Amino acid sequence: MNRSLRRISIAVLVMFVLLLVNVNYLQGFDAANLASKPGNSRAFYAAQNQYQRGSIVTSDGKVIAASKLSSGNDSIKYQRYYPSGPEYAPVTGYYTIFGATGIEAAKNSLLSGNDSSLDVRKIIDLITGKTTKGATVQVTVNSKAQDAAWNALKAQGKPGAVVAIDPRNGQILALASYPSFDPNDLAIHDGAKLNKIDNRLLKDKAQPLLNRALQGTYPPGSTFKIVTSSALLTQSPSTTINTNVDSPTTLTLPQTQHILHNDQGEVCGDGSGQAPLITAFAQSCDTTFAKIGIRLGANALNDMAQKFGMNNADLTIPLPVAKSNYVIPASQALTAFSAIGQFSDTVTPLQEAMFAAAIANNGTLMKPNLVKQVTASDLSTVQATSQSELSQPVSPSVADSVKHLMLAVVQQQEGTAYAFRQDVTGVEIAGKTGTAETGEVSLNDAAFTSFAPFANPDIAVGVIIQGGGYGASAAAPIAVQVIKAYQQAVGNQ
Amino acid sequence: MLVFAFALVAFALANVGFTLKGGLPGGAALYLAVYLAIVLLAHLAVRRFAPWADPLLLPLAALLNGLSIVMMDRLSAQVNPATGHPSISASQANLQIAFSAIGIGCFVAVLVLIREPRVLQRYTYTLGAVGILLVALPALLPASISEVYGAKIQIRFGSFTTIQPEEFAKLALAASFAGYLVAKRDVLALAGRRVLGIDLPRARDLGPILLAWAASLLLLIFESDIGTSAVFMGLFVAMLYIATSRTSWLLLGFLMFVVGAFAASRLVGHVHERFDIWLHPFTPANVQGNSFQLVQGLYGMGSGGLLGKGLGGGQPYITPLVQSDLVFTAFGEEIGLAGLMAILLIYGLIVQRGLRTAILVKDPFSKLLAGGLSFMLALQVFVIVGGVTRLIPLTGITTPFLSQGGSSLVGSWILIALLVRLSDTARRPPPRPIQEEGLTQVVTLN
């Protein structure tokens, strides 16, 4: 029996060697790989507790997220807090013991102090005996513009979002979404309570966790006529803003019995069936632009929409942005609808602002970005976002024409947003209203895209209000308030 | 040796105290006092009742038991923020030391009651019947008092105390197998035909292995306990092989288990799920669902790395059942690769001492019993440690000495007591022959 016992001993030895090798593999070689696997909350937790997390501040120095020492006998050393809570939630996102969103997620490694670009400073900290802290992220948001956007949204009380961009460099000046949530509620360290609050927010019909500014997509309505006009002016250089275009009172769509009316059955221009492009644009004649759309064809519209930033699922600012969609229609009738921002067209409020920004910046669309710079705890700059061109949808001359079209919407008497002319607001604003049918008149989505001041634009604002009704009455006033607040802040007024 | 084990446990307890409780708590001192007392008691019992026993067995087992007490103390001291509770309550941690005392009590009792291992041979069939009854008991009882996490392996008394009878059944069956095989080994080894170079046993001699196979399959099907079933089957096959030295038994037994397990994985949902978790643990559905436990255990070990986070420094509470089935990963997280290698080497040493005893001991029954018990311990460690490290599918069996739970701890101590007794028998010097001058003649050859 001793012979078989010896063999059993060898088998046992092999079993233990297998276990030892496997444990060595797991903890020696596979550890880094395991740390990056899905659902590994230990890795997240480790980063969270190492250093004091950096702050998030606005471009004008207002602190919107910071960490302080936890009070009492808390196993987690630092407590995250958000001085302005819901107002900046679409920017900061939240930072919980389980995960993060917004800038908190996009710049997590820098904020937590674990980014490799901070390594040299950490060594210096070690030598000089200073406590290592996470880096500070400065966002491009201007607190005055943000306050105006948030207060206006809150006062109006319907779900919606506002995005303001500096058209010259793509910096995002305001990013507000309503209704919002208070990230302070989610920063607590009691996991059971956190799960409850999280569940409540997730189940809330008002969707407070949805960042509408970047993740909500809505029909652009007539604001899409900026794209249609741009495509027209690009394709036929002989057309000017004063060229007469077909503007019937009603239009029977090709291959259908469907008759397209203008809003309220309005007559376009003088009722002759012909109107200058600028008049049709200011009045927002659907028949005119439906006809233009049919003439240009869906592919031309699609090309132009894409140049303005639509159909791009990969845009990050560095927060991820939902894709704004232009779907190529299968028929001329549907192309007509798509040319006036209906059919399957959907845009984010950010995209809405990008329409105006591209036109305001002489046809060049700057890549929107939310982060101005990242500074280490010794105030040295770790990262500065450089401005870059996203695309050039139109030539400067076409852009100039569209600028004047948009100016007419606000500054000419027949314009849909004449209520916000310079005499009233004190700023020369150019824009385009949009009222997208969602089936019921009372539930029309209101959209407005605009830039100001006309002569030298430094802000472009996109606003979408769900169920707001007319763009001119629900969305435009909010944009105007943001523009005015920003003009005051930069000293233009 | 014992002093070393004691010092290590004392240091580890202090470590937990400083990390999690902000100082040396009074409870730790009490733990240490009880631990020292029971270990000393065991030591004295060995000196008194088994003086020739292998000197390594007790200190190694005591060290493992001590580490378990430390880990239970540590797990009860940290709240999981996601649930608001620690992995085990303080009273469960206290129970662990109470069961350590009971386990060592049983250890001493075995040493006192069984002075000669061969006496067990007399109860071959009684032990077999007791073993089978213990295994079958949870399957026969209603699920309300026997089912836990999809497997029917325990008997619940009241709301708190449970007994897993299989922990004792294993020992009874090992002794019973040994008795049976000693009686039958010649016929099992010699009768039969040779086909393709392999000695095939006679059909009627297949009876016992078929019976063991059937029993282990029944275990699988009615109690959904694949781990214990593998340990039983492995134990029986290994003992058959030790008794007969015939490879054909090994091949046959292994083949039958694989076929049985494969069939079960197709037919029994619980078993099928285990295979799926093993093969695809990181699919999104599994990570948040079935394989959550395994994957979190792996993450814990990964975060521990080479040297570990230090006792009290990790987050073992994230892993479900970290106090029992996955306790090995908790050690991996907190004392790292270095600690795990040490633990595996301790197990390896115990098994090696057991097998050494089996080779040394003269009487065939004792040989088989020592070999069987050692192999069973090795197999159990292999099944659970291999399971939590994803070497083989994870099945819920206890880690000897380390897991929370009285049955396992007491059973393990009885196993060590038997090995101590066997090694005492093996190493005892033969009685001195009585020298009677007149009877012995010295013949000088030249």
Side-chain angles (χ1 to χ4, degrees):
Chain A
M1 287 204 274
N2 281 351
R3 194 170 61 101
S4 43
L5 270 170
R6 289 212 169 82
R7 286 195 178 157
I8 288 278
S9 306
I10 290 167
V12 166
L13 184 70
V14 169
M15 278 156 59
F16 274 94
V17 167
L18 277 175
L19 290 180
L20 284 169
V21 167
N22 198 37
V23 167
N24 271 283
Y25 167 72
L26 270 179
Q27 296 199 280
F29 295 96
D30 206 30
N33 177 31
L34 284 171
S36 61
K37 284 262 196 263
N40 193 340
S41 51
R42 281 178 177 86
F44 183 77
Y45 179 90
Q48 172 162 268
N49 252 347
Q50 207 168 2
Y51 311 115
Q52 181 171 6
R53 194 170 172 82
S55 304
I56 304 176
V57 298
T58 64
S59 66
D60 49 341
K62 185 177 162 159
V63 175
I64 54 176
S67 281
K68 59 186 175 195
L69 275 175
S70 298
S71 56
N73 193 18
D74 200 325
S75 66
I76 295 171
K77 205 170 166 192
Y78 297 103
Q79 175 65 53
R80 196 73 170 156
Y81 70 101
Y82 302 85
S84 312
E87 175 179 348
Y88 284 94
V91 178
T92 59
Y94 57 68
Y95 185 73
T96 76
I97 52 175
F98 301 127
T101 59
I103 288 290
E104 295 276 30
K107 291 288 164 192
N108 181 41
S109 63
L110 287 159
L111 286 165
S112 72
N114 288 300
D115 198 88
S116 56
S117 60
L118 298 172
D119 284 352
V120 177
R121 285 172 185 84
K122 270 192 253 181
I123 295 170
I124 296 171
D125 284 342
L126 198 69
I127 296 166
T128 56
K130 263 176 56 187
T131 326
T132 302
K133 282 185 189 170
T136 298
V137 174
Q138 185 175 35
V139 293
T140 53
V141 171
N142 177 283
S143 70
K144 296 289 186 302
Q146 180 75 8
D147 285 349
W150 170 247
N151 291 332
L153 277 174
K154 209 163 62 170
Q156 117 100 39
K158 292 206 170 91
V162 177
V163 178
I165 307 180
D166 185 332
R168 297 164 299 182
N169 49 28
Q171 292 187 351
I172 291 176
L173 303 171
L175 188 85
S177 172
Y178 184 88
S180 184
F181 64 98
D182 190 346
N184 286 309
D185 294 345
L186 297 169
I188 55 170
H189 297 162
D190 178 343
K193 215 169 135 191
L194 172 60
N195 276 334
K196 252 186 232 161
I197 295 171
D198 189 40
N199 271 328
R200 203 188 63 217
L201 287 171
L202 284 172
K203 280 186 193 144
D204 194 332
K205 292 242 166 34
Q207 291 182 282
L209 289 177
L210 175 65
N211 187 353
R212 292 174 172 76
L214 305 178
Q215 291 299 322
T217 57
Y218 312 93
S222 300
T223 57
F224 192 79
K225 287 170 189 164
I226 294 173
V227 177
T228 309
S229 308
S230 298
L232 171 71
L233 293 166
T234 304
Q235 211 176 66
S236 73
S238 60
T239 311
T240 69
I241 57 172
N242 294 312
T243 307
N244 270 339
V245 285
D246 284 353
S247 304
T249 306
T250 60
L251 174 69
T252 306
L253 295 175
Q255 294 131 36
T256 66
Q257 307 296 315
H258 192 91
I259 299 171
L260 185 70
H261 298 271
N262 290 319
D263 185 47
Q264 315 268 341
E266 243 176 24
V267 172
C268 197
D270 55 9
S272 65
Q274 293 277 312
L277 180 64
I278 191 166
T279 307
F281 191 90
Q283 256 189 290
S284 200
C285 300
D286 285 345
T287 50
T288 314
F289 289 91
K291 276 202 98 155
I292 293 173
I294 293 167
R295 204 175 92 200
L296 292 170
N299 286 327
L301 290 174
N302 183 52
D303 284 353
M304 188 51 76
Q306 239 155 9
K307 283 189 199 160
F308 270 99
M310 293 175 73
N311 287 343
N312 178 1
D314 303 322
L315 181 64
T316 55
I317 60 165
L319 278 57
V321 180
K323 187 170 96 163
S324 296
N325 301 291
Y326 181 85
V327 180
I328 295 181
S331 71
Q332 285 194 329
L334 293 176
T335 304
F337 276 111
S338 77
I340 56 171
Q342 301 276 354
F343 179 56
S344 294
D345 302 0
T346 54
V347 295
T348 59
L350 173 68
Q351 177 64 56
E352 208 52 91
M354 284 158 72
F355 288 144
I359 297 302
N361 194 39
N362 300 318
T364 303
L365 178 59
M366 303 305 291
K367 183 178 184 299
N369 66 76
L370 188 56
V371 177
K372 193 171 180 187
Q373 60 173 356
V374 181
T375 49
S377 52
D378 60 0
L379 301 180
S380 61
T381 304
V382 184
Q383 270 184 13
T385 309
S386 53
Q387 53 189 66
S388 63
E389 257 184 57
L390 193 65
S391 62
Q392 179 154 20
V394 289
S395 66
S397 69
V398 171
D400 189 59
S401 300
V402 180
K403 262 188 190 172
H404 282 92
L405 293 178
M406 290 173 72
L407 185 68
V409 171
V410 188
Q411 308 300 345
Q412 285 188 17
Q413 204 164 356
E414 72 268 28
T416 50
Y418 183 61
F420 307 103
R421 60 194 178 275
Q422 195 172 6
D423 297 353
V424 179
T425 58
V427 193
E428 197 176 15
I429 300 172
K432 181 74 195 84
T433 57
T435 308
E437 290 170 23
T438 52
E440 288 172 69
V441 178
S442 61
L443 288 176
N444 281 352
D445 284 349
F448 189 65
T449 179
S450 54
F451 63 87
F454 179 76
N456 197 6
D458 57 17
I459 183 169
V461 185
V463 180
I464 293 182
I465 304 296
Q466 270 180 287
Y470 281 105
S473 56
I478 296 174
V480 171
Q481 286 182 50
V482 175
I483 289 170
K484 280 171 73 176
Y486 186 66
Q487 295 308 317
Q488 249 166 27
V490 296
N492 279 357
Q493 210 176 22
Chain B
M1 285 297 194
L2 271 177
V3 172
F4 180 67
F6 176 75
L8 212 60
V9 171
F11 175 73
L13 263 180
N15 194 341
V16 170
F18 279 117
T19 322
L20 287 178
K21 302 172 184 169
L24 273 182
L30 184 68
Y31 276 169
L32 265 184
V34 175
Y35 177 68
L36 181 64
I38 57 177
V39 168
L40 266 180
L41 176 75
H43 175 67
L44 292 175
V46 171
R47 293 301 294 266
R48 171 83 176 74
F49 297 107
W52 308 102
D54 192 305
L56 269 177
L57 286 170
L58 176 66
L60 291 174
L63 178 54
L64 288 176
N65 192 162
L67 287 177
S68 155
I69 292 170
V70 172
M71 186 48 81
M72 295 311 134
D73 178 44
R74 177 257 172 276
L75 288 176
S76 71
Q78 192 179 27
V79 169
N80 179 356
T83 60
H85 309 289
S87 299
I88 57 169
S89 65
S91 56
Q92 282 172 307
N94 289 335
L95 266 182
Q96 188 73 0
I97 190 136
F99 278 122
S100 305
I102 296 173
I104 286 191
C106 291
F107 172 87
V108 173
V110 169
L111 287 186
V112 173
L113 293 176
I114 305 174
R115 293 300 180 88
E116 185 56 60
R118 266 176 299 180
V119 295
L120 287 173
Q121 200 175 352
R122 278 184 233 151
Y123 304 106
T124 297
Y125 294 99
T126 319
L127 283 170
V130 168
I132 288 171
L133 186 71
L134 284 176
V135 173
L137 209 52
L140 301 174
L141 291 170
S144 62
I145 57 170
S146 67
E147 186 163 322
V148 56
Y149 303 113
K152 291 182 75 172
I153 51 168
Q154 63 171 19
I155 305 173
R156 195 172 295 148
F157 296 101
S159 61
F160 203 61
T161 323
T162 59
I163 284 186
Q164 301 200 355
E166 68 189 28
E167 300 288 349
F168 306 105
K170 285 187 294 209
L171 300 170
L173 286 175
S176 170
F177 286 168
Y180 173 82
L181 291 170
V182 166
K184 292 283 163 81
R185 71 191 181 106
D186 289 340
V187 72
L188 288 175
L190 299 175
R193 279 171 300 153
R194 215 178 149 79
V195 178
L196 296 171
I198 301 168
D199 291 309
L200 283 184
R202 287 188 306 186
R204 60 179 147 164
D205 297 326
L206 281 171
I209 196 169
L210 280 174
L211 201 71
W213 181 63
S216 72
L217 272 189
L218 287 180
L219 249 174
L220 261 176
I221 292 163
F222 288 106
E223 303 184 6
S224 299
D225 188 2
I226 192 172
T228 312
S229 145
V231 169
F232 277 141
M233 190 69 190
L235 170 68
F236 186 75
V237 171
M239 288 179 79
L240 251 177
Y241 175 68
I242 295 171
T244 61
S245 299
R246 277 176 59 167
T247 327
S248 55
W249 287 117
L250 271 187
L251 290 175
L252 209 63
F254 184 71
L255 218 72
M256 285 165 90
F257 184 77
V258 168
V259 169
F262 182 75
S265 79
R266 286 300 162 97
L267 299 173
V268 185
H270 182 70
V271 180
H272 173 72
E273 191 185 292
R274 295 275 155 176
F275 274 90
D276 180 51
I277 292 169
W278 177 51
L279 294 172
H280 317 285
F282 295 112
T283 61
N286 272 347
V287 163
Q288 292 304 326
N290 290 335
S291 74
F292 183 79
Q293 182 188 33
L294 170 67
V295 164
Q296 291 301 330
L298 291 176
Y299 290 165
M301 294 180 67
S303 80
L306 297 182
L307 295 174
K309 298 256 174 199
L311 283 164
Q315 298 165 277
Y317 56 78
I318 296 175
T319 315
L321 281 184
V322 72
Q323 70 276 19
S324 57
D325 293 357
L326 277 91
V327 73
F328 192 73
T329 67
F331 281 103
E333 182 167 358
E334 304 224 310
I335 59 178
L337 176 60
L340 287 192
M341 303 242 295
I343 289 177
L344 284 176
L345 288 177
I346 293 174
Y347 280 124
L349 268 178
I350 295 179
V351 173
Q352 186 265 335
R353 298 318 288 184
L355 289 169
R356 179 104 205 112
T357 299
I359 288 171
L360 278 180
V361 80
K362 295 276 183 309
D363 147 57
F365 173 78
S366 304
K367 238 181 184 13
L368 262 178
L369 185 57
L373 290 176
S374 310
F375 183 74
M376 182 171 72
L377 184 68
L379 192 58
Q380 193 168 351
V381 171
F382 182 76
V383 167
I384 185 63
V385 173
V388 299
T389 55
R390 209 161 81 85
L391 188 64
I392 55 173
L394 173 60
T395 56
I397 62 170
T398 55
T399 318
F401 289 107
L402 294 181
S403 290
Q404 181 223 12
S407 309
S408 163
L409 199 50
V410 173
S412 303
W413 271 117
I414 296 177
L415 187 149
I416 293 296
L418 289 172
L419 284 182
V420 164
R421 169 52 71 215
L422 287 160
S423 74
D424 177 63
T425 312
R427 294 155 56 105
R428 185 180 300 158
R432 223 171 251 277
I434 303 153
Q435 301 280 318
E436 275 191 64
E437 284 298 323
L439 286 177
T440 315
Q441 263 193 314
V442 179
V443 181
T444 316
L445 298 166
N446 41 5

